[in-house]
């Protein structure tokens, strides 16, 4: 898929991926860290899509280290980094590392000896066209609460006081949207500037800490946010990365409403389902009659959530709202969805099943807060 100027984020452009992990080690932890790295290196070498990695130590500060890896594309890396296997693999590193920072980049240009930088090397896994960003990073968290506690959790999550939006001179929390689907919670954030700095800022705010403590008794997965290891594992497992964002270049219409749609995929089909929805929303951005003005697709394992800003109600055009528009698209979506989980049997070509899917997928809005409201 060739990126257009409207697509500011996508893992589906086919380009190779460069992952950079910056680490600051505790004093005296270097040998333990090297042992942990060797274990991780051997395991990741057999992961499909992995090409190579390097371990580097700063020549200026010996406690600062760098791990870089190259992947055939972003999807296999995301499948690996979001897996339980990865969570277990990196655990031995946690006691060695004071701080980490992960960055992921599509390869846009490269130069090899005797070969100039290429601008048309898509077949070699190089992104041909630079995406035009809007200065906003998007991320989400998802977790489940104990059945029967949904209304209490929604009340807690809807009632907290918003933290200060301005983090520093360059980073600002722009919007937080929170939805529920049964006992699953999805919290999506938009940040101008540095996402990691913003997330750490929010986590330190007293009003946010109070809410997190208040929902702790209702979580299906126990956590102790005062314990760095417990908190790290919880938020690693809860991460729901944004894999695609597109916005129409039409003027922003008045009265846009934000919705979240939940698509449970068949086992192992989450990434393919997310890619199908991303392609659909790219096409919708070109359609002047589409009610979908912008879309962000989030995916982890077999959980796919599509956050859309639309004009009018979803049921006015359920086919467009669900991302089913176009010949054969309903059949492709039906092949990837877990029909039993959504209560839909048979073809999505019928109006009855489309409406049933929309009713099931439409998530309950809990709160949607912008920095200027």
């Amino acid at each position: 898929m060739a990126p257009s100027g409207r697509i500011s984020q996508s893992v589906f452009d086919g380009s190779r991926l460069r992952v950079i992990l910056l680490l600051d080690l505790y004093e005296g932890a270097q040998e333990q860290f090297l042992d942990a790295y060797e274990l991780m290196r051997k395991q990741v070498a057999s992961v499909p899509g992995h090409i190579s990695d390097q371990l580097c130590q700063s020549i200026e500060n010996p406690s600062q280290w760098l791990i870089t890896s190259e992947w055939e594309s972003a999807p296999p890396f995301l499948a690996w980094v979001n897996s339980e296997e990865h969570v277990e693999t990196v655990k031995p590193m946690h006691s060695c590392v004071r701080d980490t920072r992960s960055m992921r980049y599509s390869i846009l240009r490269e130069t090899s000896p005797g070969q100039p930088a290429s601008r048309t090397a898509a077949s070699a896994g190089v992104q041909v066209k630079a995406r035009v960003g809007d200065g906003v990073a998007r991320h989400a968290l998802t977790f489940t609460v104990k059945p029967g506690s949904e209304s209490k959790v929604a009340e807690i999550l809807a009632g907290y006081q918003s933290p200060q939006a301005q983090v520093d001179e360059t980073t600002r929390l722009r919007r937080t949207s929170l939805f529920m689907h049964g006992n699953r919670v999805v919290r999506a954030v938009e940040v101008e500037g540095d996402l990691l700095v913003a997330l750490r800022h929010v986590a330190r705010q007293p009003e946010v800490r109070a809410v997190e403590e208040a929902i702790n008794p209702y979580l299906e997965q126990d956590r102790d946010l005062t314990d760095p290891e417990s908190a790290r594992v919880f938020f690693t497992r809860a991460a729901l990365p944004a894999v695609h964002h597109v916005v129409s270049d039409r003027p922003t219409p008045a009265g846009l409403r934000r919705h979240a749609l939940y698509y449970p995929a068949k086992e192992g089909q989450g990434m393919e389902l997310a890619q199908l929805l991303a392609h659909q929303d790219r096409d919708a951005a070109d359609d002047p009659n589409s009610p979908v003005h912008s879309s962000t697709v989030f995916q982890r394992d077999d959980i796919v959530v599509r956050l859309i800003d639309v004009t009018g109600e979803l049921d006015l055009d359920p086919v467009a709202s669900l991302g089913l528009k176009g010949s054969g698209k309903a059949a492709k979506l039906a092949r990837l969805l877990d029909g039993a989980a959504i209560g839909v049997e048979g073809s999505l070509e019928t109006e009855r099943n489309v409406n049933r899917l929309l009713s099931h997928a439409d998530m309950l809005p809990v709160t949607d807060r912008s920095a200027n409201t």
Side-chain angles (χ1 to χ4, degrees):
M1 178 179 69
S4 78
R6 296 180 302 276
I7 299 174
S8 60
Q9 182 174 358
S10 183
V11 305
F12 302 121
D13 56 25
S15 60
R16 298 201 310 278
L17 182 73
R18 174 72 66 187
V19 180
I20 300 170
L21 183 64
L22 300 172
L23 308 103
D24 185 18
L25 302 191
Y26 289 113
E27 185 177 354
Q30 294 184 0
E31 289 305 317
Q32 182 184 351
F33 168 75
L34 287 171
D35 290 342
Y37 172 76
E38 281 302 308
L39 175 63
M40 183 185 74
R41 183 182 66 82
K42 291 175 181 177
Q43 292 189 337
V44 76
S46 63
V47 175
H50 175 263
I51 297 175
S52 64
D53 57 71
Q54 289 183 324
L55 174 66
C56 310
Q57 184 180 23
S58 170
I59 62 174
E60 299 170 334
N61 183 344
S63 70
Q64 293 179 351
W65 293 67
L66 170 70
I67 299 175
T68 69
S69 61
E70 187 174 331
W71 296 75
E72 292 176 0
S73 61
F77 166 76
L78 290 175
W80 155 248
V81 80
N82 292 326
S83 68
E84 281 298 312
E85 182 183 4
H86 177 264
V87 171
E88 295 301 319
T89 298
V90 299
K91 272 185 178 180
M93 285 190 175
H94 293 167
S95 59
C96 314
V97 177
R98 180 184 292 110
D99 193 22
T100 63
R101 182 178 182 84
S102 177
M103 296 172 284
R104 299 138 189 205
Y105 295 87
S106 296
I107 297 177
L108 189 67
R109 304 282 187 269
E110 62 180 354
T111 303
S112 300
Q115 179 181 356
S118 171
R119 290 177 177 264
T120 59
S123 60
V126 176
Q127 181 185 324
V128 174
K129 184 177 179 182
R131 290 183 293 274
V132 178
D134 55 3
V136 176
R138 296 169 174 86
H139 189 64
L141 296 173
T142 185
F143 51 87
T144 55
V145 298
K146 296 172 182 176
S149 69
E150 295 90 346
S151 60
K152 181 61 178 177
V153 170
E155 179 185 348
I156 294 170
L157 293 174
Y160 75 97
Q161 182 179 353
S162 299
Q164 179 159 353
Q166 196 68 39
V167 178
D168 56 30
E169 291 182 357
T170 59
T171 301
R172 183 170 180 261
L173 185 65
R174 191 171 83 165
R175 189 169 184 175
T176 300
S177 307
L178 201 146
F179 295 83
M180 293 184 70
H181 187 278
N183 70 329
R184 178 168 296 281
V185 177
V186 172
R187 177 191 293 151
V189 296
E190 296 179 2
V191 173
E192 295 176 8
D194 193 310
L195 176 63
L196 183 59
V197 168
L199 294 179
R200 288 178 173 175
H201 163 79
V202 169
R204 290 193 296 265
Q205 302 310 300
E207 55 271 31
V208 174
R209 284 181 172 271
V211 168
E212 299 292 353
E213 289 296 325
I215 66 172
N216 272 346
Y218 306 107
L219 298 179
E220 285 198 312
Q221 178 191 342
D222 291 334
R223 68 179 184 183
D224 178 3
L225 295 183
T226 64
D227 174 17
E229 176 67 12
S230 176
R232 183 185 291 113
V233 169
F234 176 84
F235 287 113
T236 297
R237 287 181 172 142
L240 186 65
V243 294
H244 191 269
H245 176 75
V246 61
V247 60
S248 171
D249 57 4
R250 304 186 303 271
T252 302
L256 279 177
R257 295 186 60 184
R258 174 156 291 188
H259 293 265
L261 298 172
Y262 175 68
Y263 301 78
K266 289 179 180 176
E267 185 176 357
Q269 300 298 313
M271 185 64 74
E272 188 175 349
L273 174 55
Q275 185 170 10
L276 173 63
L277 294 171
H279 286 182
Q280 290 295 94
D281 288 328
R282 177 200 60 183
D283 293 342
D286 292 325
D287 182 357
N289 298 314
S290 175
V292 180
H293 181 73
S294 65
S295 163
T296 308
V297 178
F298 300 89
Q299 182 264 333
R300 179 192 180 95
D301 298 329
D302 299 326
I303 300 169
V304 181
V305 173
R306 181 164 157 263
L307 197 66
I308 54 176
D309 292 328
V310 300
T311 55
E313 298 296 331
L314 296 183
D315 56 6
L316 292 177
D317 191 345
V319 170
S321 297
L322 285 166
L324 295 174
K325 212 163 189 180
S327 176
K329 295 303 191 298
K332 289 183 179 179
L333 187 63
R335 179 176 60 83
L336 300 172
L337 283 173
D338 183 346
I342 61 178
V344 174
E345 296 181 1
S347 172
L348 286 176
E349 304 283 354
T350 68
E351 182 179 353
R352 179 173 179 268
N353 276 348
V354 168
N355 289 330
R356 180 178 290 181
L357 174 58
L358 181 62
S359 176
H360 180 277
D362 193 15
M363 300 183 72
L364 173 71
V366 176
T367 182
D368 185 25
R369 305 184 183 199
S370 297
N372 58 354
T373 60

